[in-house]
Amino acid sequence: MSPTIACTDLGYAQQLLPRASHFRETNRAFCSRKAQNFRRLRNFQPQNRIATEPIKSFRIKDGRQVLIVKEESQVSDCVVALVESAARSAIKSKGAFSLSVGSGTTVSPLTRLAASKHIDWTKVHVFFGNERVAGDTAGKCASGAMEVFVEICGVPVGNIHKMPVLNSQGPSTPAEAARLYEKELFSQPLHILSRAAGGVPSVDLLLLGTGPDGHTGSLYHDSAQIKTRGSVACLPVNTAGKQGVAMSIDYMCAAKTAVLSAAREAHAPMVLTALGGNVDASTNTSCPAGMVKSREKTIWLLTEASASLLDENDLVGEVTVGTREYFEGFLSSPINDSSVTASSRGDGTEQAIKMAGSTIGFLGILFLGFMASNGLL
């Protein structure tokens, strides 16, 4: 609004509106701006909604959520939006945000977070869901995360919790490296890592990639590691001669929110094994990714191709766009039923009435000023 229109002092009415034609032009422009505001209200969408609206959103029988998008690139969009939303919410509520990452597809989209103006990176703590601890690829996951997003986003060095690698001054075996990292996890203050049942450390958000064979976070089907249950958080692994450390299934399930991505068509049989039928996540040892069911919310990010083998009997609870269930988890602050009800109407009626009332009152003052200045009152 211009300073001329904002002024309501009747003593300057003659200077501001010397002619009726000028008044009409001003009034027309003012009403045009109000009409634009009405349209913005009518088309308003939450600012921190997920960037790419999922084509379909379901809950399966055990409560895990499934988001199905059209293309692989949209899965990356969803990952970025979920991390930003979770970070803002955690920092606002408890002053810190803990994020567990792996490598590859779970990390590569995060470089886009450097452009975010909504995350206080000094309060972000980065942990790792698996790591190579020996050989030429030792520290691979940490190095990838540092290059892709940790350094450019400005995460403080003290907030980067890398797994130790084998060396002459440190651990000499993967089992020892696992014990040291577990000690690191349990030493964290509760506002950084809370505790789940059994005292297992709990990150705010766990990002997991999956393989067509069902592995996730260096845990493979029917292995000794996925059958190790209890309060153990870190496990030594030796797969195909590659020594490393992985987080346990119990640690993954202790996370506040877990996000698993499976975007390629080759993932379709695994997705069916993980989510189809009456599968019991706790005993699905043929598909480690399907065993992950976190403390509050477990989200699978799929494409139409990777979800192609699921049917309507598997996806029993479709979540309607615009409902509380749909928005919860994608907004940085909790929502209540009344806000959902208002937004679901989508017509902006209440806001429009309020704005119309203020507009009429304001125009009345201007009109009275015009009449008075011309001796018509």
Side-chain angles (χ1 to χ4, degrees):
M1 186 179 296
S2 68
T4 298
I5 298 302
C7 180
T8 58
D9 191 329
L10 297 182
Y12 294 102
Q14 189 170 10
Q15 298 175 19
L16 297 178
L17 300 171
R19 298 182 305 276
S21 60
H22 180 72
F23 175 75
R24 286 194 298 272
E25 289 299 317
T26 304
N27 183 45
R28 187 179 298 113
F30 184 84
C31 291
S32 176
R33 284 193 292 273
K34 283 298 180 181
Q36 291 174 6
N37 287 338
F38 291 157
R39 286 193 292 273
R40 290 191 191 103
L41 269 175
R42 187 172 60 247
N43 298 324
F44 172 77
Q45 297 294 338
Q47 291 291 322
N48 50 355
R49 265 187 69 174
I50 215 163
T52 302
E53 184 175 292
I55 297 172
K56 296 178 182 177
S57 179
F58 297 91
R59 293 194 192 283
I60 64 172
K61 295 174 184 177
D62 64 3
R64 287 177 288 175
Q65 189 170 355
V66 178
L67 301 183
I68 305 174
V69 295
K70 191 173 183 63
E71 302 172 352
E72 289 187 38
S73 62
Q74 293 174 300
V75 170
S76 297
D77 294 338
C78 292
V79 170
V80 171
L82 285 167
V83 172
E84 183 176 34
S85 178
R88 294 175 65 185
S89 179
I91 292 170
K92 181 178 180 180
S93 64
K94 60 189 182 71
F97 171 59
S98 53
L99 172 68
S100 177
V101 300
S103 60
T105 56
T106 63
V107 175
S108 55
L110 302 184
T111 187
R112 290 154 52 186
L113 287 170
S116 174
K117 299 178 181 179
H118 306 295
I119 300 176
D120 181 353
W121 290 102
T122 65
K123 297 180 180 179
V124 174
H125 289 255
V126 179
F127 298 86
F128 295 88
N130 60 294
E131 186 61 278
R132 302 274 178 84
V133 298
D136 295 338
T137 57
K140 169 187 172 183
C141 293
S143 297
M146 293 292 291
E147 180 180 349
V148 169
F149 83 100
V150 172
E151 290 181 341
I152 61 175
C153 288
V155 178
V157 173
N159 292 6
I160 307 166
H161 305 273
K162 299 180 182 179
M163 290 188 180
V165 299
L166 308 190
N167 60 74
S168 57
Q169 284 77 41
S172 58
T173 65
E176 188 178 350
R179 285 194 295 271
L180 287 173
Y181 198 61
E182 186 165 281
K183 183 178 179 181
E184 168 83 0
L185 297 177
F186 277 96
S187 70
Q188 298 303 309
L190 293 179
H191 75 286
I192 296 174
L193 290 182
S194 59
R195 299 290 184 269
V200 180
S202 174
V203 293
D204 294 312
L205 182 61
L206 172 70
L207 297 182
L208 292 170
T210 61
D213 61 353
H215 85 270
T216 188
S218 294
L219 298 181
Y220 289 81
H221 64 89
D222 296 321
S223 64
Q225 286 80 14
I226 64 171
K227 297 175 183 177
T228 301
R229 309 307 295 265
S231 59
V232 178
C234 303
L235 300 166
V237 294
N238 190 339
T239 304
K242 298 174 182 177
Q243 295 179 304
V245 172
M247 309 312 295
S248 68
I249 287 292
D250 284 336
Y251 174 85
M252 295 179 183
C253 293
K256 182 178 180 181
T257 299
V259 175
L260 299 96
S261 60
R264 292 180 286 125
E265 186 176 2
H267 284 102
M270 179 275 294
V271 169
L272 180 62
T273 303
L275 303 174
N278 295 310
V279 64
D280 182 352
S282 64
T283 59
N284 193 7
T285 57
S286 63
C287 183
M291 297 181 71
V292 179
K293 189 173 185 295
S294 63
R295 193 154 53 104
E296 293 188 11
K297 186 182 289 289
T298 305
I299 303 171
W300 277 75
L301 301 177
L302 308 178
T303 61
E304 290 179 340
S306 64
S308 59
L309 298 182
L310 296 174
D311 61 31
E312 59 184 14
N313 294 319
D314 301 317
L315 305 174
V316 296
E318 184 167 5
V319 179
T320 304
V321 174
T323 62
R324 178 190 182 95
E325 290 78 12
Y326 179 83
F327 283 112
E328 215 154 50
F330 304 102
L331 299 175
S332 60
S333 58
I335 57 176
N336 54 47
D337 291 324
S338 60
S339 64
V340 173
T341 301
S343 64
S344 64
R345 285 198 306 266
D347 56 8
T349 301
E350 183 178 348
Q351 297 92 333
I353 291 173
K354 290 180 179 179
M355 291 181 67
S358 64
T359 300
I360 292 171
F362 182 70
L363 291 176
I365 293 174
L366 287 177
F367 183 71
L368 289 173
F370 171 75
M371 297 288 284
S373 64
N374 287 275
L376 300 176
L377 289 182

